[in-house]
Amino acid sequence: MTVRTRFAPSPTGYLHIGGVRTALFNWLFARKHGGQFILRIDDTDQQRNVAEALAPILSGFRWLGIDWDEGAEVGGPHGPYYQSQKSARYQDAVRQLIDKGLAYHDFATPEELKAERESAEKEKRSYLYSRKWLAETPADRARFEAEGRKSTVRLKMPRAGTCRFHDHIRGDMAIDWVSEQDHVIQRADGSCLYNLANVVDDFDMKITHVIRAEEHLSNTARQIFIAQGLGYPLPEYAHVPFVAEPGSKNKLSKRKIAQYLKNQDFKKIYEHGQNIAAVLGLTTSADTFNPVIVDFFEQVGYLPHAIVNYLLLLGWSLDDKTEFFTREEMIKSFSLERVNKAPASYDPSKLWAFQDHHMRALPLADKVERCLPFMHKAGHAADAAKVELIIRAAGDRIKVAGDILDYADFFAPDHALKYDEKAFDKRLRKAPESVRLLTAYKDRLAGIEPFDAAKLEKSVQDFVAAEGTKLEQIIHALRVAVTGKAVGFGLYEALAIVGKQGCVKRIEVALAKIGN
RNA sequence: GGCCCCGUCGUCUAGUGGCCUAGGACACGGCCCUUUCAAGGCCGCGACACGGGUUCGAAUCCCGUCGGGGUCACCA
């Protein structure tokens, strides 16, 4: 039997990092065993704009390279892959359960239910529905309907015995049936609920391994009850611990971004991304553009493989030392048995370290290919050749593709370079000796041929020796004058990239600016 | 609160009775290098939740305690 796994997002409008990890484990498991990975959509018929809310999720998976064999947009032989298109199928399943006496119409009103629950709570007794408005015969139904009541359909759960199943991550599980409620599987309006739909879908799609987040552990017994009632074979289960917040064991939530921003590591990654987004003119808000949402990383220029590699190690490990994996190695090495049982905290600074590593390893041509579009998006008429020079000079300072924007000034018009005023003050305005040297040195630029880093370095050193001064006296002034900034990569590389004419012009502009 | 799950450095983890005076990685601190920044080199800080057993020997097995979390919908 070929392995079939699935991930079933509901269309929420964004792809959450925790969801990606669960999907990744499913994908990896399927790929490892030569099986199929299915992307099914858990929408409900009430939701609107499903297509719109789904688009970022699908594009996120595509960007990450997590591809699916069947499901949304690609179709397949076991569709439909959207819950909203399967109402009749679910209702049919509900009917079967009723016929077998495993489910019943229930005419209780929400108020009556609430009252029962509250009184149970008051008496400190664990709540179990009284089945007071249960209707298994046509006569009962007619009687309740005459009262004007509407019915839901509930599971008639066993009230004795134990449900046992094996979990690939947790081991042998045992849940007492009494602890299970008579869960509603069909609403009063006829639509069906998650637990029912889920089991039917998994069967229809021939899912062999249900790999999902641990919050579904408590759904498992009732789903087994449904599956057995319907005569379906049981899938194998693996409940993955959830991804926790940075520095805590609470479940990571996109609704608590403001709180995470108090975490220094999270804040650093967030602000770095926001800065890039600002340069690109993206309209962003903390709610939708932050390091919990995959789109953030894509927009800022992270490497999808770095994200995947990080997520792989969040709750899973191969051994005590292997950290970096290619796609093939991941697929080959992955196993459910080595997934940890305890939740793992999301650590943005570790993700950053993976990004750093993979970015360093990226061939120059690939870096250019990734960085160039960022220059264009920011409105600079950058050419690949010059961007390549910049990337070569910047080296590992470029951590994400969007960092190329730190060097956008190389494309600024020489007469309109923006200066870091603080650096300008310190290195030029308040440094008359540096200004004198800079003025004198400017005239030497004309004679430098070729105008490359090596010649420039020699030129500056000769000049300093001739003047009997120190390197520091001119170097900082030169950097600020030509690049506008106090920091950057090697000074001589920077000068070479700006070019002879550019350097002369920029120095002139800077000198003229000093008096102002 | 009921039910369930989990518990090794700040974080991710290795560890399945002796290889552990607990290893690696990230982060952090210090020093060196240095024209700035980044990088690099070296050094360092830092954990078996606690208490009882079992055993010659326990991070590893058992019991209890404590702590953290998940879940208890006509959500998924």
Side-chain angles (χ1 to χ4, degrees):
Chain A
M1 187 164 66
T2 100
V3 166
R4 289 171 63 85
T5 64
R6 47 71 167 177
F7 184 69
S10 49
T12 50
Y14 57 85
L15 184 54
H16 188 265
I17 204 97
V20 171
R21 191 193 57 159
T22 305
L24 175 66
F25 287 2
N26 274 281
W27 181 83
L28 249 13
F29 189 77
R31 291 287 169 263
K32 172 171 177 134
H33 296 284
Q36 289 95 43
F37 174 62
I38 289 102
L39 193 72
R40 169 219 299 172
I41 307 306
D42 275 14
D43 56 351
T44 68
D45 17 16
Q46 284 95 311
Q47 283 171 313
R48 281 168 219 189
N49 298 327
V50 167
E52 194 181 305
L54 192 55
I57 294 171
L58 301 186
S59 82
F61 278 127
R62 287 190 171 113
W63 178 68
L64 290 164
I66 297 175
D67 57 341
W68 55 102
D69 304 290
E70 296 171 28
E73 292 189 354
V74 307
H78 305 286
Y81 295 93
Y82 292 78
Q83 277 192 349
S84 58
Q85 295 169 17
K86 298 185 67 169
S87 325
R89 166 84 252 254
Y90 301 142
Q91 280 158 359
D92 181 61
V94 170
R95 225 165 356 249
Q96 287 181 50
L97 289 170
I98 294 172
D99 290 347
K100 291 181 183 177
L102 299 171
Y104 59 88
H105 282 275
D106 177 58
F107 287 84
T109 63
E111 296 72 38
E112 287 160 344
L113 256 12
K114 195 174 170 218
E116 276 200 4
R117 202 173 291 128
E118 280 170 359
S119 78
E121 215 164 284
K122 204 171 295 171
E123 294 165 37
K124 287 189 175 153
R125 139 178 87 69
S126 59
Y127 170 69
L128 215 46
Y129 175 47
S130 67
R131 292 180 180 168
K132 207 167 160 183
W133 292 275
L134 165 154
E136 285 183 310
T137 66
D140 286 338
R141 292 181 59 171
R143 180 162 58 83
F144 285 128
E145 274 164 11
E147 286 180 35
R149 286 172 180 266
K150 291 239 185 325
S151 70
T152 60
V153 177
R154 285 177 182 277
L155 255 16
K156 195 171 182 183
M157 299 294 285
R159 291 194 168 172
T162 306
C163 174
R164 293 176 197 283
F165 62 93
H166 182 77
D167 186 286
H168 279 268
I169 295 168
R170 317 257 144 186
D172 290 317
M173 302 291 302
I175 314 262
D176 290 333
W177 284 119
V178 266
S179 67
E180 287 287 320
Q181 299 296 332
D182 285 358
H183 304 280
V184 174
I185 53 174
Q186 187 176 98
R187 296 186 181 91
D189 69 4
S191 62
C192 294
L193 269 351
Y194 169 77
N195 281 122
L196 188 274
N198 196 265
V199 170
V200 170
D201 286 346
D202 284 345
F203 171 71
D204 287 350
M205 295 171 197
K206 301 192 163 17
I207 302 304
T208 59
H209 297 258
V210 170
I211 302 167
R212 61 190 359 175
E214 77 171 280
E215 48 264 44
H216 290 286
L217 199 51
S218 58
N219 286 330
T220 307
R222 69 200 66 154
Q223 290 180 183
I224 286 173
F225 178 80
I226 295 172
Q228 287 180 155
L230 260 11
Y232 299 165
L234 256 28
E236 299 195 31
Y237 294 99
H239 288 92
V240 178
F242 56 85
V243 176
E245 301 171 343
S248 109
K249 289 296 178 200
N250 295 333
K251 197 167 88 174
L252 184 69
S253 159
K254 53 281 168 192
R255 282 182 280 275
K256 289 161 83 175
I257 301 303
Q259 184 191 316
Y260 305 158
L261 252 14
K262 290 176 193 155
N263 174 293
Q264 285 310 304
D265 294 336
F266 190 93
K267 191 180 173 193
K268 195 177 133 201
I269 305 299
Y270 170 80
E271 287 179 345
H272 169 259
Q274 285 287 353
N275 289 340
I276 291 172
V279 175
L280 293 173
L282 298 176
T283 50
T284 60
S285 79
D287 288 347
T288 55
F289 195 75
N290 61 250
V292 171
I293 294 168
V294 170
D295 189 56
F296 171 90
F297 299 106
E298 183 176 358
Q299 295 298 325
V300 169
Y302 281 73
L303 259 15
H305 185 65
I307 310 286
V308 169
N309 196 159
Y310 169 71
L311 256 18
L312 173 70
L313 274 302
L314 194 58
W316 179 87
S317 67
L318 175 62
D319 53 32
D320 60 341
K321 49 179 75 70
T322 315
E323 294 188 282
F324 303 112
F325 293 79
T326 63
R327 292 261 146 172
E328 295 68 34
E329 288 164 347
M330 286 182 191
I331 292 168
K332 191 169 159 240
S333 318
F334 186 75
S335 67
L336 292 173
E337 281 66 28
R338 288 197 63 85
V339 173
N340 260 245
K341 283 192 244 200
S345 302
Y346 176 51
D347 180 356
S349 69
K350 187 131 187 176
L351 188 157
W352 178 262
F354 276 84
Q355 167 65 21
D356 185 28
H357 173 90
H358 284 104
M359 196 69 173
R360 278 163 196 264
L362 200 65
L364 183 62
D366 294 347
K367 275 194 198 174
V368 174
E369 196 183 322
R370 285 183 181 276
C371 290
L372 196 55
F374 279 86
M375 281 299 206
H376 295 156
K377 275 187 268 184
H380 301 287
D383 57 284
K386 192 163 171 184
V387 167
E388 181 175 325
L389 286 176
I390 294 169
I391 292 170
R392 201 192 287 272
D396 51 36
R397 289 171 183 80
I398 295 177
K399 307 289 190 195
V400 306
D403 284 338
I404 191 69
L405 297 170
D406 287 345
Y407 308 101
D409 283 346
F410 284 106
F411 293 93
D414 295 325
H415 59 84
L417 183 63
K418 288 219 170 56
Y419 293 92
D420 173 339
E421 287 300 328
K422 211 173 146 193
F424 195 90
D425 265 2
K426 181 175 177 191
R427 300 301 187 185
L428 291 162
R429 256 190 208 107
K430 295 178 180 169
E433 174 60 8
S434 293
V435 170
R436 187 189 71 74
L437 291 167
L438 186 61
T439 310
Y441 179 70
K442 177 176 70 98
D443 297 331
R444 293 202 172 200
L445 291 169
I448 299 174
E449 202 62 51
F451 199 77
D452 62 25
K455 284 280 188 200
L456 279 158
E457 179 163 12
K458 180 150 192 326
S459 154
V460 171
Q461 272 163 355
D462 287 351
F463 174 76
V464 165
E467 290 284 335
T469 185
K470 286 184 176 173
L471 204 54
E472 302 92 274
Q473 281 295 326
I474 184 166
I475 229 154
H476 301 293
L478 194 50
R479 179 188 293 282
V480 174
V482 174
T483 70
K485 293 181 174 146
V487 300
F489 46 70
L491 173 63
Y492 307 111
E493 280 84 359
L495 296 177
I497 291 168
V498 172
K500 191 184 290 185
Q501 284 189 329
C503 286
V504 172
K505 179 72 182 167
R506 288 181 177 198
I507 291 169
E508 283 169 354
V509 171
L511 291 173
K513 181 183 161 71
I514 289 171
N516 304 334

